Amino acid sequence: MNRDIGKNAERELVSILREQGFNAVRIPTSNSSPNPLPDVFATKDNLLLAIECKSTWENKVKVKEKQVRKLFDFLSMFTTMEGIPLIAVKFKSIHEWRIFILERVEDVIVTAENTKPIEILFVDGWNEEKERNPLSI
């Protein structure tokens, strides 16, 4: 992803999250950084989201294991909060932000079909439903 396109997508995502009551910030760092930092992190109540942000005109995007591991490592530092690692993708061809909630550290191919609309994050109780039935959201 072009750096300017990436920065703009991250800023847009932060704005969306803030509009929905999250405290959200973009972490301006290079993917090559050895530090376990997400592109964006957001909190609301006891919830902490570590987000790898992508923007594409394609119908899929690949996220490497290294990027996924950084999200899990980042969340491991916050043991008193409920941490959720996810990938947020702006699929420009359908004008929609979609999320993929990560379950384990591995390479991931994210498509519009294997994701949920970002609005699921804004529904009260969505994370409790995830715990009861991870495949339902």
Side-chain angles (χ1 to χ4, degrees):
M1 176 166 54
N2 174 294
R3 283 189 183 180
D4 287 337
I5 292 171
K7 289 178 191 177
N8 290 338
E10 291 165 4
R11 288 183 182 115
E12 180 180 338
L13 180 59
V14 166
S15 178
I16 290 167
L17 291 166
R18 287 179 178 167
E19 287 173 7
Q20 295 298 322
F22 282 83
N23 296 307
V25 296
R26 174 181 168 263
I27 301 175
T29 183
S30 166
N31 186 33
S32 61
S33 168
N35 297 312
L37 297 171
D39 292 329
V40 171
F41 79 91
T43 64
K44 188 174 186 179
D45 301 323
N46 194 44
L47 184 64
L48 171 61
L49 305 177
I51 306 169
E52 179 68 27
C53 184
K54 301 292 182 186
S55 179
T56 185
W57 283 101
E58 304 298 322
N59 61 1
K60 66 182 177 181
V61 64
K62 182 175 182 175
V63 181
K64 295 179 182 176
E65 178 182 349
K66 177 182 172 183
Q67 293 172 295
V68 172
R69 181 173 310 285
K70 286 184 177 188
L71 300 178
F72 281 89
D73 289 350
F74 175 80
L75 290 172
S76 73
M77 295 186 288
F78 300 91
T79 57
T80 61
M81 298 184 79
E82 179 186 357
I84 299 177
L86 59 89
I87 300 165
V89 180
K90 181 178 183 181
F91 286 101
K92 294 193 251 183
S93 61
I94 60 172
H95 309 288
E96 192 172 334
W97 277 96
R98 309 278 297 179
I99 62 164
F100 183 94
I101 299 173
L102 296 158
E103 300 291 329
R104 61 190 154 277
V105 177
E106 63 185 357
D107 287 347
V108 178
I109 305 260
V110 181
T111 67
E113 291 76 32
N114 70 0
T115 57
K116 297 290 181 185
I118 195 168
E119 290 79 12
I120 194 79
L121 295 175
F122 314 137
V123 175
D124 287 339
W126 75 271
N127 49 329
E128 288 91 13
E129 178 61 25
K130 176 191 172 289
E131 290 173 7
R132 287 193 302 275
N133 185 2
L135 300 177
S136 69
I137 63 166

